[in-house]
Amino acid sequence: MVKQVRKNFKHGADFIKLLATGAVLSKGQSPGAQQFSDEEIQAAVKEANRWGRQVAVHAHGIGGIKTSIRAGVRTIDHGSFSTTRRSRCSSDERKTFYVPTLYTSTVIARQGREAGIPESEILRSKMISDTKDLGFKRALAAGCRSASGRTPP
């Protein structure tokens, strides 16, 4: 992990983004399943910080979210299955921001077939949508740190 972080910075990366858990559109792995060990995520954050840089994580599942917060990542992107106050707001002490992706389910439902997304992943996105939205509402009510952004065209 340290070698890959260094390699990315050497080649011009501004920050590191890890897939701490599976993705909604991943085949063969649950979006909630943690993909890196606690030690690997900690190593990435430690090395990035040594370079004066940050780590963002793609994380839907609670295990990957909690591990990433403990490691000191800068952002938890998605956070779909994190519906408790503790998992969202524990990031406040470590200055981790929750970055929800609220519109992705709508886009996948409307344009997924035309974009070639398999039916199984479109269905998965629909199933996660309500949980993701509930988590966002709870995070807002709890006063958790959050951020938003957009993907460049």
Side-chain angles (χ1 to χ4, degrees):
M1 180 61 74
V2 171
K3 181 179 177 180
Q4 292 304 317
V5 168
R6 289 176 183 160
K7 180 180 177 180
N8 278 272
F9 288 145
K10 178 182 174 188
H11 291 286
D14 295 320
F15 65 95
I16 300 298
K17 183 157 184 185
L18 301 175
L19 270 74
T21 71
V24 172
L25 300 180
S26 293
K27 275 198 156 289
Q29 183 171 28
S30 163
Q34 189 169 328
Q35 293 195 70
F36 288 107
S37 70
D38 295 11
E39 295 78 16
E40 288 172 316
I41 295 171
Q42 290 165 359
V45 171
K46 184 176 179 181
E47 187 62 18
N49 290 171
R50 196 177 72 73
W51 284 70
R53 307 223 176 104
Q54 303 290 329
V55 173
V57 295
H58 160 105
H60 289 283
I62 193 67
I65 291 168
K66 287 182 177 181
T67 293
S68 297
I69 290 170
R70 284 192 300 268
V73 303
R74 187 63 171 157
T75 66
I76 303 291
D77 302 347
H78 310 300
S80 300
F81 299 132
S82 177
T83 58
T84 66
R85 183 185 193 288
R86 184 168 182 241
S87 61
R88 295 257 195 232
C89 289
S90 60
S91 63
D92 288 349
E93 298 130 29
R94 294 181 173 83
K95 299 194 178 13
T96 299
F97 286 81
Y98 158 55
V99 182
T101 48
L102 304 174
Y103 197 61
T104 54
S105 296
T106 302
V107 172
I108 290 169
R110 288 182 186 167
Q111 302 170 359
R113 284 173 194 82
E114 296 140 21
I117 296 173
E119 195 64 36
S120 58
E121 278 69 39
I122 293 171
L123 178 60
R124 181 187 294 166
S125 177
K126 286 179 188 176
M127 291 175 13
I128 291 171
S129 182
D130 290 341
T131 301
K132 175 182 62 172
D133 292 347
L134 177 61
F136 175 68
K137 290 174 185 174
R138 288 183 176 167
L140 282 179
C144 296
R145 295 176 187 265
S146 63
S148 63
R150 73 174 192 66
T151 304

